[in-house]
Amino acid sequence: MHYALVSDLLTKEAFDERVEKKAESLGGLVDEVTAAMLVVDELGRSHIKIGDIPSAQTSIVSFFGKILEIKPPREFTREGEPPGLVASVVLGDPTGTVTMSLWDDRAEATSELEVGSVIEVIAKPRPGKKEVTCLALRESNVTIVETKKPPKSEVMAAPLTAKILAASEIREIIRRDGTPSFVQEFIIGDASGTARLVCWAPDLFADVDEGASISIDGVQRKEDEGIVEYVVSDSAEIRILPDEIGALTRDAADVTEGQNPVVTGIVSSVSDVRTFTTRRGTESRVRNVSVQSSSKKSGVNVAIWGDAADALFLPGDPVQVINAAAKLNRYGELELSVGRGSAIRTINLPGKSVSLTGIIIPRPEGLSLDDGKEVWILLTNESPVPGTTVDVEGICRNGRIEVTNLVSNPIDADPLIHRLGSLL
């Protein structure tokens, strides 16, 4: 069984030879299984902890797990093929839990497994998921006393009431059978905290805006290692509530390690966006934003990942960081991480109407208006040519102008030459 872990490195004959030599070198003190494990370890394919499976960088992993739950085989149909079988087993150790799928002949092996026993597994992991597909397993004498709690899933008897704090765009998902499906993700909150909500029938939320308070019947509640997630299907019913539901909020100075609800503060500094290559070989982006507490005596760093890193943040912006986890960074400081299932929002302050004339200049933050006294970032769908003079009307707030009207003037080089001369 252990040869599957290193089959891409050497032949079966070469592996068996190494195992035999390893057993001989230890004077016969270890059996063949132990010798095989030692050879695998020497080749850099040693057993890992269950908690490390989602971030594993190999196509095959090996681990020990205590059986926490067994779901017996169920039959499914394959187009043009005989029916198949699939079963699943939840395994755990002190670092986490994982759901292992067993297909066809391996699914029948679940009848020989018992909850509470420990098995050794060779499996193919799903990148970023707490899921594996079983390639081989065997009973083990390894002792695992304590494990993380297995995931729980149940349909709620009472309606779920919460406030919509953030909503993502609708995404199309292609199922295994090739048919399309659509999903939309939300972050919801109430006085107890925040959670992620996944809806597989986005039309249900067509009339629901961010900030709305809602009641949902027929919600599935999932809990895994203390993290709660809700799932909504097309059988659910949604009702908009007349009274607003408040969400648990804390100041940037009060961030704690682990999951945080809604964290509020003021942006004090913003880094440039950095591009990097992920473990899967794809390109992504990250930006760091420092958020200061209301007392301005302390704050917290926020790492913003993926497409969210492209959003505009300026010093002085009041923000909310929603449903983000915090952990110690390499400097030993708490850092909030905004990625999937979390969000960061700029809070719009009251603005004032302005009517200005100035020159369009390009800046890293975006096209801006320079009227000779101040510079504002323009929020507009228009594309004025840099260097041209424009008349702008709009709402001004914290370094931005939300443009309601923009008129480009004929190009006159004299003001630009004068401006450039004053800078020399």
Side-chain angles (χ1 to χ4, degrees):
M1 146 170 173
H2 293 95
Y3 173 65
L5 287 168
V6 294
S7 60
D8 60 326
L9 300 179
L10 72 175
T11 64
K12 181 67 165 60
E13 292 75 13
F15 177 76
D16 291 340
E17 184 178 347
R18 286 198 181 205
V19 171
E20 185 177 349
K21 287 182 178 179
K22 175 61 66 176
E24 291 176 355
S25 69
L26 296 174
L29 296 177
V30 299
D31 58 17
E32 183 180 345
V33 172
T34 303
M37 291 174 60
L38 292 172
V39 170
V40 167
D41 184 68
E42 290 174 353
L43 292 170
R45 301 287 174 84
S46 57
H47 290 68
I48 65 173
K49 298 295 185 181
I50 288 178
D52 295 328
I53 289 176
S55 58
Q57 299 185 41
T58 57
S59 59
I60 298 176
V61 295
S62 180
F63 60 94
F64 295 99
K66 186 174 185 178
I67 299 177
L68 305 178
E69 182 181 341
I70 300 174
K71 294 182 180 180
R74 60 178 177 84
E75 190 175 277
F76 65 94
T77 58
R78 295 186 178 107
E79 187 175 351
E81 297 182 23
L85 288 177
V86 61
S88 64
V89 176
V90 178
L91 301 167
D93 70 7
T95 67
T97 61
V98 66
T99 299
M100 178 176 67
S101 298
L102 300 95
W103 298 88
D104 298 322
D105 292 343
R106 293 189 181 95
E108 298 178 353
T110 55
S111 61
E112 302 175 13
L113 302 178
E114 294 182 0
V115 172
S117 62
V118 176
I119 58 176
E120 181 185 7
V121 177
I122 294 177
K124 183 177 181 179
R126 288 190 63 189
K129 303 286 187 179
K130 297 180 181 180
E131 302 172 13
V132 298
T133 298
C134 178
L135 300 178
L137 64 83
R138 65 190 302 161
E139 293 184 5
S140 173
N141 293 324
V142 170
T143 300
I144 298 178
V145 179
E146 295 184 0
T147 69
K148 293 284 188 179
K149 292 183 179 180
K152 294 181 180 180
S153 180
E154 60 182 357
V155 176
M156 297 177 61
L160 171 67
T161 58
K163 181 177 182 178
I164 301 293
L165 302 176
S168 70
E169 298 293 329
I170 297 174
R171 292 186 293 118
E172 182 178 1
I173 304 293
I174 303 300
R175 297 189 182 99
R176 290 183 179 179
D177 61 5
T179 59
S181 181
F182 297 91
V183 62
Q184 187 173 18
E185 298 181 11
F186 300 86
I187 303 175
I188 58 175
D190 62 14
S192 65
T194 55
R196 180 168 168 257
L197 183 146
V198 180
C199 179
W200 291 95
D203 288 347
L204 292 174
F205 285 83
D207 298 323
V208 180
D209 299 323
E210 285 189 2
S213 296
I214 60 174
S215 173
I216 315 176
D217 283 298
V219 177
Q220 184 180 15
R221 183 184 186 274
K222 295 183 176 182
E223 183 174 356
D224 186 7
E225 297 183 16
I227 303 298
V228 175
E229 177 181 295
Y230 299 94
V231 178
V232 175
S233 63
D234 55 6
S235 61
E237 297 182 3
I238 300 178
R239 182 167 60 93
I240 298 178
L241 302 177
D243 298 325
E244 182 176 354
I245 296 176
L248 180 63
T249 303
R250 63 178 52 148
D251 189 77
D254 301 322
V255 170
T256 58
E257 191 168 2
Q259 206 71 19
N260 287 263
V262 180
V263 176
T264 62
I266 306 295
V267 173
S268 57
S269 66
V270 181
S271 74
D272 294 332
V273 176
R274 292 185 290 107
T275 301
F276 66 96
T277 301
T278 68
R279 290 175 177 173
R280 299 183 188 179
T282 59
E283 187 177 278
S284 189
R285 300 174 301 287
V286 63
R287 181 200 294 272
N288 291 94
V289 174
S290 293
V291 177
Q292 200 171 51
S293 68
S294 56
S295 64
K296 297 184 179 181
K297 293 182 179 179
S298 61
V300 65
N301 184 61
V302 182
I304 309 172
W305 304 90
D307 293 341
D310 297 328
L312 176 63
F313 297 98
L314 299 175
D317 283 346
V319 293
Q320 292 180 335
V321 184
I322 306 168
N323 199 46
K327 63 180 181 180
L328 296 178
N329 60 20
R330 59 182 177 179
Y331 305 110
E333 302 168 338
L334 275 180
E335 180 177 88
L336 287 165
S337 181
V338 175
R340 186 182 179 187
S342 55
I344 181 169
R345 294 283 188 268
T346 300
I347 302 172
N348 281 335
L349 298 176
K352 65 176 182 178
S353 297
V354 294
S355 180
L356 301 168
T357 298
I359 297 175
I360 297 296
I361 59 172
R363 299 173 67 196
E365 298 85 355
L367 285 180
S368 303
L369 180 76
D370 182 352
D371 72 345
K373 297 179 182 178
E374 295 184 60
V375 179
W376 292 270
I377 296 170
L378 297 181
L379 304 180
T380 177
N381 292 326
E382 302 287 339
S383 301
V385 178
T388 59
T389 301
V390 298
D391 298 324
V392 170
E393 295 178 356
I395 306 299
C396 176
R397 52 168 69 89
N398 195 33
R400 305 169 176 84
I401 297 178
E402 297 175 17
V403 177
T404 56
N405 188 43
L406 186 150
V407 178
S408 296
N409 298 319
I411 296 177
D412 183 357
D414 290 341
L416 182 58
I417 293 173
H418 177 75
R419 182 68 49 76
L420 291 173
S422 66
L423 295 175
L424 298 177

